[in-house]
C-alpha cells in the first residue's frame, strides 16, 4: 500500500474551510485541516477536491449545485508516497475583493462618490459570473512524488 497525501496550500489569513475528497467518484472524507493522508493500493485514480454542495429548493427534491471543485488523475505507484497539493485560482480576485471590502467599510464613515457603488456592484457581478463559469476547475491541483 502507498500513501496519498492531499495538502491544502493556503495563506495564514485564509480561513480553514472543510473540503470533501472523492476518489473515483466515491466520497472518501472531509478534509478539515491542511493535510489528509490516505493509504491506497497502487493504481490510477480520479481525485476530486470539492468545497460546498447542494442547496435544496423546496419539497420537490430539486436542488442547486453551489460547489466549487477540481479533478485530477493521480497515479499511485506500488511503493512510495504521492503528494497532491491544491490551492484556489483566485489570488488576484481575492486582492481586488479585499480592496473593495476596505472601501466598503470606509464608506460607512465617509461619503463615497456614486461611481464607487456602480463599480463595486459591477465587480461583484463579474466575479460571480466567473465563479459560475470556472466552478469545476476552481482549484489548481499539482501532483508529485514525496
Amino acid at each position: 500500500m502507498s500513501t496519498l497525501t492531499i495538502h491544502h496550500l493556503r495563506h495564514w489569513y485564509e480561513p480553514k474551510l472543510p473540503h470533501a475528497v472523492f476518489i473515483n467518484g466515491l466520497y472518501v472524507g472531509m478534509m478539515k485541516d491542511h493535510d489528509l493522508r490516505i493509504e491506497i493500493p497502487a493504481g490510477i485514480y480520479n481525485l476530486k477536491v470539492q468545497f460546498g454542495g447542494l442547496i435544496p429548493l423546496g419539497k420537490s427534491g430539486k436542488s442547486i449545485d453551489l460547489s466549487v471543485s477540481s479533478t485530477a488523475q493521480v497515479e499511485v505507484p506500488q511503493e512510495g508516497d504521492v503528494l497532491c497539493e491544491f490551492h484556489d485560482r483566485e489570488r488576484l480576485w481575492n486582492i481586488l475583493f479585499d480592496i473593495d471590502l476596505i472601501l466598503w467599510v470606509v464608506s460607512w464613515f465617509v461619503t463615497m462618490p456614486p461611481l464607487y457603488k456602480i463599480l463595486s456592484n459591477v465587480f461583484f457581478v463579474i466575479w460571480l459570473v466567473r465563479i459560475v463559469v470556472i466552478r469545476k476547475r476552481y482549484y489548481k491541483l499539482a501532483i508529485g512524488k514525496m
Side-chain angles (χ1 to χ4, degrees), residues 18-99:
H19 291 83
V21 176
F22 297 86
I23 294 181
N24 289 344
L26 299 173
Y27 176 74
V28 174
M30 194 63 78
M31 190 174 165
K32 296 179 183 177
D33 204 7
H34 292 292
D35 293 322
L36 177 67
R37 299 175 64 85
I38 303 168
E39 294 290 326
I40 194 166
I44 297 175
Y45 298 97
N46 192 14
L47 174 69
K48 178 179 179 182
V49 177
Q50 175 180 332
F51 173 73
L54 301 174
I55 299 203
L57 294 175
K59 298 178 183 177
S60 64
K62 294 182 180 181
S63 58
I64 297 174
D65 185 9
L66 294 179
S67 64
V68 291
S69 63
S70 273
T71 305
Q73 201 167 32
V74 179
E75 184 176 348
V76 178
Q78 196 72 333
E79 294 294 324
D81 298 336
V82 177
L83 175 65
C84 176
E85 296 179 325
F86 73 96
H87 63 85
D88 64 356
R89 298 176 185 262
E90 297 293 305
R91 302 288 184 216
L92 176 62
W93 287 94
N94 287 344
I95 293 169
L96 293 174
F97 181 75
D98 291 344
I99 292 169

Side-chain angles (χ1 to χ4, degrees), residues 116-135:
Y116 163 72
K117 277 200 175 214
I118 294 169
L119 291 176
S120 179
N121 291 338
V122 167
F123 167 70
F124 178 72
V125 169
I126 291 170
W127 173 81
L128 197 58
V129 167
R130 182 177 185 278
I131 292 297
V132 169
V133 168
I134 71 159
R135 70 185 191 88

